[in-house]
Amino acid sequence: PKVFLVIYKLYRRQPCLLINPQKYFFTCKVSVVIGNLRLMKTDLSLQDALSEVSEINYDGDQVLRLQRLGAVAIKDLMSQFAKAGTVDDYQLIALVLTRLHDLQVRDYAMGLTTSDNIDQVFNFWHWLLQLAPKGFIAPVAAIFSTVAYESGETDLAQRSLDTSFADQIEYPLAKLLRRVYCAGWPTESFAAMRAELHPKVCASLFG
């Protein structure tokens, strides 16, 4: 039977496993269960954190302050990710995901890409995209798409736009990017736009 074939293959690779194959398979099952529990814990923790963050009230008098805090949170999250390759501060992640709904904060986030950090930024947005729940995916996927396009990953950039549309069918930035990609804009055009627009976004947020 198949179980003996599996044990034989394992033995050929690592003979020590044959000493107690039942213990090996039990350990594998436990590892899978623990991994699933960790994913569930992450999902629950992020959902709890998201429920505690309110969207910006544009009729209130705290709009600029909340936008600034959102921009600072994004830079902080990117910095933490650059150091460890992951972040488990769900409050910070929730704040970033929520504030990316704001156009100024989203545009600020797009402007943080440079020729020096583009690989790290690519990994960051890809990681955050895996975490983002429904309703928070569109801006993350659109930003990741721009980084992918600028990195020469045009097919990935288009698929990421599909992901953005799946979350929000009329997401304006994704629609704009689709037109830009179909027009065959050169990848370096994004760097040129950042050089022009990012200082203006920073000025409007921080003065």
Side-chain angles (χ1 to χ4, degrees):
K2 293 181 179 179
V3 67
F4 293 109
L5 180 60
V6 171
I7 293 173
Y8 173 71
K9 289 180 178 179
L10 287 169
Y11 172 70
R12 292 195 64 184
R13 294 178 182 177
Q14 300 187 50
C16 62
L17 293 177
L18 197 57
I19 295 173
N20 194 343
Q22 288 184 337
K23 181 178 179 182
Y24 171 77
F25 289 117
F26 174 75
T27 302
C28 288
K29 290 179 180 179
V30 170
S31 297
V32 170
V33 171
I34 290 174
N36 290 337
L37 287 174
R38 284 174 177 167
L39 288 174
M40 291 173 61
K41 179 182 177 183
T42 299
D43 187 52
L44 288 173
S45 299
L46 182 54
Q47 289 289 356
D48 290 343
L50 284 167
S51 68
E52 297 175 359
V53 182
S54 300
E55 297 284 354
I56 295 176
N57 175 15
Y58 294 99
D59 293 327
D61 58 0
Q62 297 294 311
V63 176
L64 182 57
R65 174 179 173 274
L66 294 175
Q67 289 175 326
R68 285 175 177 170
L69 291 174
V72 170
I74 289 173
K75 200 159 188 180
D76 186 18
L77 185 61
M78 293 180 73
S79 177
Q80 290 189 35
F81 180 84
K83 293 176 182 177
T86 188
V87 181
D88 58 6
D89 184 340
Y90 302 121
Q91 285 74 27
L92 181 59
I93 296 170
L95 178 58
V96 166
L97 288 173
T98 303
R99 289 295 171 262
L100 282 172
H101 287 148
D102 178 85
L103 300 186
Q104 283 283 74
V105 176
R106 184 203 65 195
D107 290 349
Y108 173 81
M110 291 178 62
L112 295 175
T113 305
T114 69
S115 58
D116 293 328
N117 71 4
I118 191 167
D119 291 338
Q120 185 65 58
V121 170
F122 181 100
N123 293 335
F124 169 77
W125 290 113
H126 182 267
W127 165 80
L128 190 61
L129 183 57
Q130 309 314 304
L131 288 180
K134 184 176 176 59
F136 296 86
I137 294 172
V140 181
I143 296 174
F144 176 63
S145 177
T146 65
V147 181
Y149 189 85
E150 191 171 350
S151 300
E153 301 284 349
T154 54
D155 290 341
L156 179 59
Q158 293 282 14
R159 291 197 303 272
S160 191
L161 288 187
D162 293 338
T163 302
S164 184
F165 285 128
D167 186 58
Q168 190 174 327
I169 189 63
E170 295 291 333
Y171 191 60
L173 178 59
K175 293 173 70 174
L176 173 62
L177 290 172
R178 183 74 90 195
R179 291 196 296 269
V180 166
Y181 299 164
C182 291
W185 278 31
T187 57
E188 57 269 20
S189 61
F190 285 90
M193 284 191 295
R194 278 198 309 272
E196 179 183 352
L197 298 178
H198 191 60
K200 296 178 181 179
V201 174
C202 290
S204 67
L205 285 172
F206 302 106

